[in-house]
Amino acid sequence: MAVHEHPHRSPGFHLLPLRRNRTAASETAVPARIGTPTTQAYAFAALRLLTGFVFLWAFLDKTFGLGYATPSGRSWLDGGSPTQGFLGSVAAGPMRSTFHSWAGAAWADWLFMLGLLGIGVALVAGVALRLAAAAGTLMMALMWMAEWPPAKHLADGSASMSTNPFVDYHLVYAVALIALAAASAGDVLGLGRIWTALPLVRRSRWLR
């Protein structure tokens, strides 16, 4: 009578199909997730839209005098200067006299307003985030210098009321702009993918 003996199988032999199955499962699972926005992507998109609205609203309020930071009748269209009030009231810091000389100048008004508009539109649309980050960081740095948080006292000797000697909202906005550009935050709820697919943008990465 023939005896059919089962060959001895090592534990390692049994693990091979399992590993292949896991690999196959992971390979089939990855394509299903490609292109699917994550919670992180939506969070960056929300941050982008909110930050963009901050810049865009500042432009609209200063241009049309919507009655918030800019009273009606003192808008840019009514002949008011978007930079006169802020730069003219700088009372501390090493660039105090420089900012006073810039206050109300036509070139300063135009650069400031075009910066607000350009950064705001770029963020809301989700395009040219690297340019927006560079321009916005420069603008925030100058505004930080104008407010000069390190000062405890103003030029007249009164308390500056500074709540922090270094960090203020200008620096937070600057870092947020850089983070949005680094994360390609325009790809979700924005026109980022269409923008980066343009031939000119593909040739010039700094336009992304």
Side-chain angles (χ1 to χ4, degrees):
M1 182 177 68
V3 178
H4 298 283
E5 296 181 354
H6 295 285
H8 176 71
R9 297 175 181 177
S10 65
F13 180 81
H14 291 285
L15 294 177
L16 290 178
L18 180 60
R19 290 175 180 173
R20 285 199 297 269
N21 291 339
R22 287 180 178 175
T23 303
S26 62
E27 290 175 352
T28 57
V30 170
R33 293 194 297 266
I34 293 178
T36 302
T38 62
T39 302
Q40 176 180 314
Y42 279 115
F44 273 112
L47 177 62
R48 190 196 84 238
L49 292 171
L50 292 173
T51 307
F53 185 71
V54 169
F55 283 88
L56 197 56
W57 177 259
F59 170 81
L60 294 174
D61 185 54
K62 293 178 184 300
T63 300
F64 300 104
L66 301 179
Y68 287 85
T70 306
S72 178
R74 297 181 60 183
S75 69
W76 196 25
L77 292 180
D78 292 324
S81 170
T83 61
Q84 180 65 55
F86 180 67
L87 295 182
S89 62
V90 173
M95 293 186 64
R96 177 169 166 262
S97 60
T98 300
F99 287 133
H100 286 177
S101 67
W102 291 358
W107 65 266
D109 289 343
W110 276 95
L111 280 179
F112 179 59
M113 295 300 283
L114 290 177
L116 290 177
L117 177 62
I119 296 169
V121 170
L123 290 175
V124 171
V127 301
L129 295 184
R130 293 185 181 183
L131 283 176
T137 298
L138 176 60
M139 180 184 292
M140 292 299 103
L142 289 173
M143 295 180 75
W144 184 89
M145 291 287 292
E147 293 205 357
W148 197 244
K152 293 183 179 179
H153 299 89
L154 304 179
D156 60 2
S158 61
S160 67
M161 304 302 292
S162 175
T163 59
N164 191 296
F166 179 69
V167 179
D168 73 344
Y169 65 98
H170 296 108
L171 295 185
V172 175
Y173 278 130
V175 173
L177 290 171
I178 295 172
L180 291 172
S184 299
D187 292 351
V188 175
L189 302 180
L191 303 176
R193 295 185 186 278
I194 298 176
W195 175 259
T196 55
L198 296 176
L200 177 61
V201 179
R202 285 188 297 180
R203 291 194 301 268
S204 305
R205 297 176 61 88
W206 59 273
L207 291 174
R208 296 185 177 183

